[in-house]
């Protein structure tokens, strides 16, 4: 039963050799004199051919009784066959059913029948059997590999911070409360405070790839209640420096995926255009002025609406940064400019369709930070564990957070963020 090859590892040149493949019964076609069993594994399809005249009757009987999508293992001899899909077929010597599939199936896996997103998410295990859906998650894997490699080369240390926390990271964002023994706790909305503490700890450059939880009731195509964030924090760097790291990272990820993921991009019908760097930088003031051309008059100090984000994105047409945000709409940890404190050293990195990342140079002075917390209407007492790290030698530092799902969906031109999460959590969906 032990697999010797994935489908993709078998070639016509192996003619005469014996192999064992494992996978799902994708299709069974009985044409009388000849029966085909198409086995699908992670990497593709294998045609198993049974000639009625010469085949062992028991094998034929087994194949005729296999229900579609059952798990099978087939040992057979590779036979070069120009007419077969991959230039070879497998003439079986042994076939076993390892896991029988019930009929009817909850959804079609051949791509012949379209299912709506809700149906697909309800039976996600079936949906991911489809090469198209699987390609998304194979590319996600390539993206994460690429990021880890990039970060490692840039001298970043991967960390994992707690997701169960006592205090909100920042005001505003709704949190999911949980019961932590006899106390109330929350699911963390961002690793922000912990990654900053690591700057005081002297790790100098850290990154984390982990879940973030947002209890916001939005029901959009770009929001999840549980998302994955790539976060970095780096000491002795400023906002400009970490923006350069961010644009370099995005470009690297695109070129790595173009190189290592061409098979999956083809499956998805995506032609990747690698973004050029440096990304354009526009100020918040310029952004609202562009938005006003569309008739959307944003008052200085208000956040950009989704509509104006789209309009500005269309105008610019490629990845870009919005820099120099009003201090009052950015979190307390974003560093205000010394000479005009109503503006801060924060930035958003945008894909024409949506925001991908937010970052800033941080406040690293204890006194200023305490004041900023109060000014944002929060109580510094709740931030004691965080503030302490600023009292005994905190270097200047900067960082950002980048949403994995948004990076993936914009890269692949996917409309709905739920498509790029295995088991999305949104306002309505908690299972599976
Ligand atoms: P938005 O304004 O688009 O809702 P945000 O400004 O609240 O996003 P940040 O707190 O800046 O988000 O988080 C940094 C990044 O994490 C975002 O740019 C985005 O890529 C990702 N992210 C944040 N919240 C979500 C969410 N609810 N669903 C998916 N991704 C998210
Ligand atoms: Mg943001």
């Amino acid at each position: 039963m032990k697999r010797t090859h994935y489908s993709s590892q078998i070639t016509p040149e192996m003619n005469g050799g014996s192999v064992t493949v494992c996978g799902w019964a994708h299709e069974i076609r009985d044409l009388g004199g000849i029966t085909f069993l198409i086995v699908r594994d992670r990497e593709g399809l294998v045609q198993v051919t049974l000639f009625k005249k010469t085949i062992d009757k028991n094998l034929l009987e087994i194949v005729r009784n296999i229900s579609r999508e059952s798990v099978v293992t087939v040992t057979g001899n590779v036979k070069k066959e120009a007419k077969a899909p991959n230039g070879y077929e497998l003439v079986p010597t042994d076939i076993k059913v390892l896991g029988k599939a019930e009929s009817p199936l909850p959804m079609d896996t051949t791509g012949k029948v379209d299912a709506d997103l809700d149906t697909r998410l309800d039976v996600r295990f079936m949906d991911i059997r489809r090469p198209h859906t699987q390609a998304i998650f194979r590319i996600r894997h390539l993206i994460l590999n690429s990021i880890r490699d990039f970060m490692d080369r840039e001298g970043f240390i991967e960390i994992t911070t707690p997701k169960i926390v006592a205090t909100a990271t920042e005001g505003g964002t709704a949190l999911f409360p949980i019961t932590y023994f006899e106390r109330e706790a929350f699911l963390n909305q961002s690793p922000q405070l912990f990654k900053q503490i690591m700057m005081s700890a002297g790790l100098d450059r850290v990154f984390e790839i982990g879940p973030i939880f947002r209890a916001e009731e939005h029901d959009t195509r770009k929001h999840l209640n549980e998302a994955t964030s790539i976060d970095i924090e780096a000491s002795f760097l400023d906002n400009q420096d970490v923006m350069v790291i961010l644009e370099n990272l995005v470009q690297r990820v695109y070129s790595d995926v173009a190189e290592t993921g061409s098979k999956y991009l083809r499956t998805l019908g995506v032609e990747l255009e690698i973004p050029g760097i440096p990304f354009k930088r526009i100020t918040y003031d310029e952004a609202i002025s562009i938005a006003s051309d569309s008739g959307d008059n944003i008052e200085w100090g208000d956040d950009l609406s989704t509509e104006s984000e789209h309009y500005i994105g269309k105008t610019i047409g490629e990845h870009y940064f919005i820099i120099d945000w009003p201090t009052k709409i950015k979190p307390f940890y974003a560093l205000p400019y010394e000479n005009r404190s109503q503006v801060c050293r924060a930035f958003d990195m945008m894909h024409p369709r949506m925001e991908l990342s937010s970052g800033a140079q941080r406040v690293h002075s204890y006194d200023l930070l305490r004041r900023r917390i109060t000014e944002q209407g929060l109580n510094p007492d709740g931030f004691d564990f965080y503030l302490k790290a600023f009292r005994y030698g905190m270097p200047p530092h900067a960082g950002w957070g980048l949403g994995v799902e948004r990076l993936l969906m914009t890269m692949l031109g996917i409309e709905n963020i739920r498509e790029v999460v295995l088991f999305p959590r949104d306002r309505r969906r908690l299972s599976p």
Side-chain angles (χ1 to χ4, degrees):
M1 184 197 95
K2 204 168 163 79
R3 169 177 44 223
T4 60
H5 295 78
Y6 279 119
S7 57
S8 57
Q9 294 169 322
I10 306 172
T11 62
E13 287 66 48
M14 290 160 68
N15 193 32
S18 172
V19 297
T20 299
V21 295
C22 298
W24 283 258
H26 186 65
E27 229 181 314
I28 298 115
R29 263 179 290 147
D30 193 346
L31 308 179
I34 189 165
T35 301
F36 297 110
L37 162 66
I38 312 296
V39 177
R40 186 191 68 244
D41 66 12
R42 202 176 81 173
E43 307 298 330
L45 302 174
V46 177
Q47 176 179 306
V48 180
T49 309
L50 297 91
F51 300 97
K52 196 175 171 191
K53 271 194 191 146
T54 48
I55 200 75
D56 176 345
K57 292 286 165 291
N58 292 330
L59 288 185
L60 200 57
E61 204 43 39
I62 293 172
V63 169
R64 284 182 172 158
N65 283 312
I66 293 174
S67 53
R68 267 184 53 214
E69 292 302 316
S70 290
V71 176
V72 296
T73 176
V74 179
T75 301
N77 297 314
V78 179
K79 182 165 159 263
K80 199 168 176 167
E81 172 53 68
K83 279 182 280 173
N86 304 320
Y88 73 87
E89 60 193 0
L90 216 57
V91 180
T93 52
D94 190 25
I95 300 177
K96 285 194 177 70
V97 176
L98 304 178
K100 186 176 164 0
E102 290 177 25
S103 306
L105 297 167
M107 74 170 277
D108 173 66
T109 51
T110 59
K112 287 175 188 155
V113 188
D114 259 347
D116 63 36
L117 183 58
D118 265 330
T119 309
R120 287 169 39 215
L121 292 174
D122 284 342
V123 280
R124 198 54 154 161
F125 61 92
M126 288 296 288
D127 183 40
I128 294 165
R129 291 184 193 180
R130 297 160 68 230
H132 190 274
T133 311
Q134 201 190 108
I136 296 171
F137 294 99
R138 298 295 290 265
I139 290 175
R140 182 183 192 273
H141 168 74
L142 297 176
I143 290 178
L144 295 182
N145 266 352
S146 167
I147 291 169
R148 288 205 164 89
D149 182 60
F150 176 92
M151 289 301 170
D152 185 52
R153 284 169 200 244
E154 293 280 328
F156 284 81
I157 295 168
E158 182 163 1
I159 59 168
T160 301
T161 61
K163 304 307 153 203
I164 301 175
V165 295
T167 337
T169 303
E170 51 195 85
T173 309
L175 295 163
F176 288 112
I178 59 164
T179 304
Y180 191 74
F181 303 109
E182 63 288 345
R183 275 181 290 174
E184 184 180 58
F186 303 95
L187 294 177
N188 208 2
Q189 70 201 69
S190 146
Q192 183 65 33
L193 307 185
F194 294 99
K195 65 179 183 170
Q196 283 193 264
I197 293 174
M198 286 306 102
M199 298 302 97
S200 181
L203 288 189
D204 201 75
R205 290 179 173 212
V206 299
F207 79 103
E208 173 162 12
I209 302 177
I212 56 170
F213 303 91
R214 309 270 166 119
E216 292 153 353
E217 298 222 16
H218 31 48
D219 194 6
T220 75
R221 292 192 294 184
K222 60 171 188 178
H223 286 101
L224 294 161
N225 293 105
E226 177 175 359
T228 314
S229 177
I230 304 151
D231 268 86
I232 77 157
E233 204 63 33
S235 291
F236 311 107
L237 297 187
D238 64 16
N239 44 319
Q240 313 281 355
D241 299 324
V242 293
M243 283 162 68
V244 172
I245 292 177
L246 180 53
E247 62 194 354
N248 277 309
L249 172 73
V250 171
Q251 192 188 51
R252 245 296 289 286
V253 167
Y254 269 73
S255 36
D256 282 353
V257 169
E259 201 183 305
T260 57
S262 52
K263 174 178 164 184
Y264 310 117
L265 292 170
R266 258 197 317 280
T267 302
L268 293 164
V270 171
E271 249 185 74
L272 267 201
E273 219 180 285
I274 297 163
I277 47 172
F279 295 168
K280 196 167 184 176
R281 279 116 166 103
I282 63 167
T283 61
Y284 167 85
D285 290 6
E286 285 164 336
I288 58 172
S289 148
I290 296 173
S292 74
D293 296 344
S294 75
D296 195 0
N297 277 317
I298 299 161
E299 189 125 353
W300 195 92
D302 282 351
D303 213 343
L304 300 175
S305 62
T306 304
E307 294 70 37
S308 24
E309 252 180 40
H310 285 163
Y311 184 79
I312 301 163
K314 263 207 197 98
T315 309
I316 296 184
E318 53 194 10
H319 289 83
Y320 64 103
F321 284 103
I322 304 177
I323 59 169
D324 297 351
W325 285 79
T327 306
K328 67 172 181 189
I329 51 169
K330 283 295 177 187
F332 61 79
Y333 46 78
L335 181 68
Y337 281 98
E338 263 170 48
N339 49 357
R340 40 178 188 141
S341 62
Q342 73 280 15
V343 182
C344 67
R345 293 174 183 270
F347 57 85
D348 277 7
M349 194 272 284
M350 313 291 295
H351 177 275
R353 284 173 55 201
M354 69 189 75
E355 176 193 316
L356 297 186
S357 170
S358 287
Q361 179 165 349
R362 320 299 189 186
V363 176
H364 76 282
S365 136
Y366 170 76
D367 293 330
L368 178 56
L369 190 55
R370 246 194 108 85
R371 196 166 80 233
R372 290 290 304 127
I373 290 174
T374 314
E375 279 169 7
Q376 296 292 64
L378 299 164
N379 183 356
D381 294 345
F383 294 90
D384 217 31
F385 75 100
Y386 166 69
L387 284 166
K388 206 182 264 171
F390 289 75
R391 286 164 52 194
Y392 307 97
M394 174 62 97
H397 58 278
W400 43 253
L402 165 67
V404 174
E405 293 82 9
R406 290 192 187 176
L407 180 63
L408 181 57
M409 74 188 283
T410 51
M411 175 184 275
L412 302 180
I414 290 170
E415 289 297 322
N416 193 326
I417 198 166
R418 293 161 184 79
E419 296 272 2
V420 304
V421 192
L422 288 177
F423 300 105
R425 291 289 171 260
D426 64 21
R427 186 65 188 85
R428 290 166 301 123
R429 193 168 275 281
L430 186 57
S431 177

